[in-house]
Amino acid sequence: MVDTPCRLPSLAVGAIIVSSIVAASARAASDGPGSIGFGRHLVEEVCGECHRVSQPPMAKPPPMQEELAAPDLVERMRDPGITEMALRSYLRTSHPVMPNIRLSMEETDDVVAYLMSLKEGLQ
C-alpha cells in the first residue's frame, strides 16, 4: 500500500477561496454594504413616509412630514455637525417620536453611505 498525502485540506482551502470569491462577486453585483444605492432604497422605503429623503425636492413633502414636523433629511445633511459617526450613533439610538427601527450593520452602512452622499451633493 502506498501512502498518498491527504488532499482534503487543500481541497477545503480551495473551496473556501472559491466560495469567498463567488460571495464577493455576488455582493459587488448587488451593490453591497456601504452602498449608496441600497441605502437610498432603504431610506426611501423606511424613512420616506415621514421625511424628505432625496433630491430634487418632491412637489410636496411626505404627508407625515408636515403632520409630525419630521425633519427634512436632505436639509439636515447641510449641518457640518452631521458626520458619519453622528449618523451611526443616531441610527443606533431609539427616539420617542419615531418607530423603533432596527437596522443590521450592513443596512446601517448603506443608510450612512446614502445620507453622506447627500451631504457631498449639497456642498
Side-chain angles (χ1 to χ4, degrees):
M1 181 181 272
V2 176
D3 288 331
T4 58
C6 181
R7 296 183 42 90
L8 189 56
S10 62
L11 289 175
V13 169
I16 291 170
I17 291 170
V18 169
S19 66
S20 297
I21 291 169
V22 169
S25 298
R27 183 169 239 61
S30 65
D31 214 11
S35 161
I36 293 171
F38 276 169
R40 180 180 182 139
H41 176 73
L42 190 58
V43 167
E44 287 173 349
E45 291 292 314
V46 175
C47 311
E49 186 176 329
C50 300
H51 299 275
R52 178 174 148 226
V53 295
S54 62
Q55 286 189 285
M58 296 175 275
K60 65 180 207 174
M64 299 297 283
Q65 183 179 357
E66 290 179 346
E67 185 178 319
L68 299 173
D72 178 325
L73 296 184
V74 175
E75 285 301 313
R76 289 287 296 136
M77 293 310 295
R78 290 186 189 277
D79 181 342
I82 304 290
T83 63
E84 183 176 332
M85 185 182 297
L87 286 172
R88 288 181 185 286
S89 175
Y90 187 81
L91 291 169
R92 291 288 183 202
T93 307
S94 62
H95 298 83
V97 295
M98 286 178 44
N100 192 16
I101 299 166
R102 295 181 186 264
L103 300 174
S104 70
M105 290 303 291
E106 287 181 351
E107 290 169 330
T108 300
D109 291 343
D110 295 341
V111 167
V112 169
Y114 173 66
L115 292 174
M116 292 304 290
S117 79
L118 291 177
K119 187 177 206 63
E120 293 166 10
L122 295 171
Q123 296 175 353

